[in-house]
Amino acid sequence: MKRTSTYFPKSGEVPQNWRLIDATGKSLGRLARDVAVALQGKDKPTYTPHVITGDHVVVVNMDKVRITGNKLLQKTYYRHSGYVGNLKTFILRDMMDDHPDRVLQLAVKGMLPRNKMGREMLKRLKVYAGDTHPHQAQVGQLSEQAEAN
């Protein structure tokens, strides 16, 4: 009886797909979960832990994401420069006003692996506050292929 071996895709065999996600009205945590799964490729049958099988993800309308509860005033972000006494704190409301893209990037970063592959996956995430983005060629190419099939 012949044994069948498990298929592990090589890094060159994985197609570079692009996904466009509209954040309008979606909850921040659920959106971050969906983006993290798409970046890792865990929703594909060819998922392999040691190869990046995920897609590039473009998120638009991040300024219209839904924040539930009292998180706007209670959720705190910290940043430290490394010098004594230079711990800076920011609340979610200020982050959403100034940099709504960083809110999703930090949420997704906490859901990805803490190694070199996780940092590579995070580079594939593009977040924009409005509905315009410069990746129309990549995302448009994907939609044309879907229409052809």
Side-chain angles (χ1 to χ4, degrees):
M1 184 160 90
K2 184 178 178 183
R3 293 177 134 190
T4 58
S5 61
T6 304
Y7 171 70
F8 290 111
K10 312 301 186 278
S11 60
E13 298 174 356
V14 179
Q16 301 290 320
N17 296 332
W18 287 73
R19 293 188 193 185
L20 179 66
I21 297 177
D22 188 6
T24 305
K26 292 187 179 179
S27 177
L28 177 63
R30 291 172 193 261
L31 175 66
R33 178 203 56 205
D34 293 342
V35 169
V37 167
L39 288 172
Q40 292 177 7
K42 286 194 167 186
D43 56 347
K44 295 183 176 183
T46 58
Y47 169 72
T48 306
H50 62 277
V51 177
I52 298 178
T53 57
D55 299 333
H56 294 264
V57 178
V58 178
V59 180
V60 294
N61 292 324
M62 188 56 202
D63 53 352
K64 297 176 184 157
V65 74
R66 187 172 53 120
I67 310 287
T68 59
N70 294 328
K71 292 187 200 80
L72 278 174
L73 299 176
Q74 292 179 351
K75 182 163 181 57
T76 308
Y77 294 97
Y78 299 98
R79 189 176 75 212
H80 198 280
S81 67
Y83 290 98
V84 176
N86 275 341
L87 178 68
K88 306 225 186 289
T89 60
F90 305 94
I91 61 172
L92 180 58
R93 181 184 61 197
D94 296 339
M95 286 280 282
M96 285 299 292
D97 290 342
D98 299 337
H99 306 285
D101 54 333
R102 289 187 196 167
V103 173
L104 183 65
Q105 285 177 344
L106 289 172
V108 171
K109 182 181 177 183
M111 298 180 185
L112 293 177
R114 278 104 174 135
N115 55 23
K116 191 184 294 187
M117 276 186 36
R119 290 186 291 276
E120 285 296 319
M121 290 175 195
L122 196 61
K123 289 179 187 175
R124 294 170 163 235
L125 174 64
K126 313 293 184 201
V127 184
Y128 299 98
D131 58 351
T132 59
H133 59 88
H135 307 286
Q136 190 59 43
Q138 291 86 356
V139 176
Q141 178 185 17
L142 179 66
S143 63
E144 288 173 6
Q145 289 175 354
E147 290 174 5
N149 291 337

